[in-house]
Amino acid sequence: MYGGRVIDLRRLEALVALHRAGTVSAAAERLHYGQPTVSHHLRRLETETGSVLLQRVGRGVRLTPEGERLARRGEEILGLLERAEAELAASTSLQSGRVRVAAFPSAAATLVPAAVGILAERHPGIDLELAEAEPPEAAEMLRAGTADLALTFRYPDQADPDGLTSTTVLTDPLYLVTTDAVGREHRRPSGEPHLADYAESRWITGCERCRSQLMTLCEAAGFTPRIAFASDDYVAVQSLVASGLGVTLLPGLALQAHQRDDVRRSLVRGGERRVQVSSYGAPPRPAVVDAVAGALADAARPQG
């Protein structure tokens, strides 16, 4: 806008070319236009802006102070436009780009590094920016536009947040985590734990969503767990278990990221969570975002 009027970019480009080249003929050569076309654009730009931008000097022209100011500002505008076009082209062609990913801690420690390795092979120009966030916070980041993708999880009785498009990339099993002594005390011939055997145990739980799933599984086994401690830190939870302060349920990714040597794990039949790649809104997504989503999905696939 200039004095309430919209400036035609082609005419602004002609003014910038004249400023750089010095003459109308040189500006026309720079733009690959005919000289009459450049002259026409310059006259129209003066008419549209209501300003005197050119001053005749002999057989040529030179810019007035107002023309100089507009030309310098035009250089900035055209430079930004060229940059935006280059960024868009790079994004579309997967040559480069930055994608912001929010991920819950155990996914950030396992799936994200593997995805970065995949991207380095497929699309070395794409950068991944990581923020650690539990699913509710990650959903808010997607809505606010501070994250492009999120690794989230949900348990069978939990719904996806409104507005998010989610694709399951991994079914993550749950494990009962105990000390060796406690595990031997309740060991059954089948080797599978029965949660009811731990009805009198103290329990350690994690985030609110994980606590809800623990309550559901224990109630299905016929008891209400006695919660002694709560922590979102799966390393701290294992330390509490190893100290004999209780038993817990942990997902496979958490134990893949870190498992103490002095705790034992046993698969819980029917216990699982779904790990998802989530984004806000409906497809299509930018090509670079899809590329990162694909790398995250491939990182979650079983190897071998």
Side-chain angles (χ1 to χ4, degrees):
M1 299 287 291
Y2 191 93
R5 302 175 181 87
V6 177
I7 296 177
D8 188 302
L9 285 177
R10 293 172 302 172
R11 291 161 191 162
L12 186 62
E13 188 178 41
L15 183 70
V16 170
L18 175 61
H19 180 244
R20 291 173 175 172
T23 66
V24 173
S25 59
E29 184 176 350
R30 178 186 288 262
L31 296 174
H32 304 291
Y33 289 165
Q35 185 171 332
T37 301
V38 173
S39 297
H40 169 74
H41 283 323
L42 293 171
R43 287 195 301 272
R44 290 295 299 162
L45 184 61
E46 285 190 308
T47 300
E48 289 173 353
T49 60
S51 304
V52 177
L53 304 175
L54 306 175
Q55 182 181 15
R56 289 199 170 278
V57 179
R59 294 185 177 181
V61 296
R62 68 182 179 189
L63 297 180
T64 64
E66 189 163 18
E68 289 274 359
R69 286 194 296 271
L70 182 57
R72 285 195 296 269
R73 190 65 71 187
E75 287 180 330
E76 296 176 10
I77 294 169
L78 295 174
L80 287 172
L81 182 60
E82 289 173 3
R83 179 180 174 184
E85 290 173 342
E87 289 175 350
L88 184 59
S91 173
T92 303
S93 65
L94 299 178
Q95 293 175 359
S96 65
R98 177 175 294 273
V99 177
R100 301 161 300 174
V101 176
F104 57 94
S106 57
T110 54
L111 301 183
V112 172
V116 170
I118 292 171
L119 284 171
E121 293 182 2
R122 295 179 183 171
H123 311 292
I126 296 179
D127 293 325
L128 191 151
E129 182 180 306
L130 175 64
E132 195 173 282
E134 293 290 348
E137 291 74 30
E140 290 304 315
M141 292 175 69
L142 289 174
R143 292 193 187 97
T146 56
D148 304 300
L149 285 174
L151 277 168
T152 61
F153 66 82
R154 69 178 181 89
Y155 290 101
D157 60 343
Q158 296 170 349
D160 286 322
D162 292 339
L164 266 58
T165 298
S166 299
T167 302
T168 299
V169 297
L170 176 69
T171 298
D172 196 16
L174 296 183
Y175 292 87
L176 176 70
V177 181
T178 66
T179 60
D180 282 335
V182 172
R184 284 194 298 271
E185 180 183 348
H186 297 293
R187 184 172 297 166
R188 295 200 176 206
S190 66
E192 291 184 358
H194 285 227
L195 295 186
D197 294 338
Y198 298 85
E200 301 303 319
S201 299
R202 292 185 298 180
W203 285 82
I204 304 161
T205 187
C207 68
E208 183 177 345
R209 292 156 64 86
C210 300
R211 180 188 181 114
S212 174
Q213 179 65 5
L214 171 64
M215 299 296 290
T216 297
L217 290 172
C218 290
E219 287 171 3
F223 72 98
T224 299
R226 181 161 56 100
I227 306 297
F229 300 96
S231 174
D232 292 343
D233 187 333
Y234 52 82
V235 177
V237 167
Q238 291 183 57
S239 296
L240 292 170
V241 172
S243 298
L245 298 176
V247 299
T248 191
L249 294 182
L250 285 176
L253 281 183
L255 294 167
Q256 180 182 333
H258 173 81
Q259 180 175 343
R260 291 179 58 119
D261 293 335
D262 51 359
V263 300
R264 58 176 286 136
R265 66 178 182 180
S266 305
L267 184 66
V268 175
R269 183 179 293 274
E272 63 183 31
R273 65 179 181 176
R274 296 178 182 177
V275 177
Q276 304 172 125
V277 174
S278 301
S279 57
Y280 185 67
R285 298 180 295 211
V288 289
V289 175
D290 269 339
V292 173
L296 291 169
D298 288 345
R301 290 195 178 96
Q303 304 299 310

